[in-house]
Amino acid sequence: MAAGGFSKLPNGTVVVALNLPYGSAGVRILVHAANRARALTRLRNLGLRAVYLRGNASPPTPDEITAVLHHPDGLVWRTAPNGGVGMPELWHPIRALLRRPVPLA
């Protein structure tokens, strides 16, 4: 089960944010869709089968919402924040995550 949350936008669509384990650090994925179910279906169609959203513990920030709304695919990711150390990583399209091999720990 992934930590995450969602925000409903004024036009009725939602932005879903999920923290998923990936490699040693994990990733934060943002999805823009018509509703929460469709957002999770988009991820499942990409091969992330065991993705569920329970509750709203970690909703997307306004900066994250802006990032996903300005991306043409409406589906972006970056490594999970590490407590504010260093510069934050830029957002990447989901294709870059799916092509990337998982480092073995």
Side-chain angles (χ1 to χ4, degrees):
M1 184 167 65
F6 68 95
S7 289
K8 190 162 187 157
L9 302 178
N11 65 358
T13 61
V14 297
V15 174
V16 173
L18 294 167
N19 292 337
L20 300 175
Y22 185 83
S24 61
V27 295
R28 179 123 167 125
I29 297 178
L30 301 175
V31 183
H32 179 234
N35 56 43
R36 285 180 293 172
R38 287 196 184 222
L40 296 176
T41 299
R42 287 186 72 186
L43 291 173
R44 289 183 188 124
N45 288 343
L46 291 171
L48 302 171
R49 298 286 181 214
V51 176
Y52 296 96
L53 181 62
R54 307 267 191 232
N56 200 13
S58 181
T61 64
D63 290 337
E64 291 176 333
I65 293 171
T66 301
V68 76
L69 290 178
H70 284 86
H71 194 273
D73 293 340
L75 191 60
V76 294
W77 69 276
R78 71 175 174 192
T79 56
N82 57 356
V85 177
M87 292 291 294
E89 182 182 355
L90 297 176
W91 292 98
H92 306 284
I94 196 68
R95 293 180 304 267
L97 178 67
L98 298 176
R99 283 193 306 245
R100 190 183 244 202
V102 177
L104 299 174

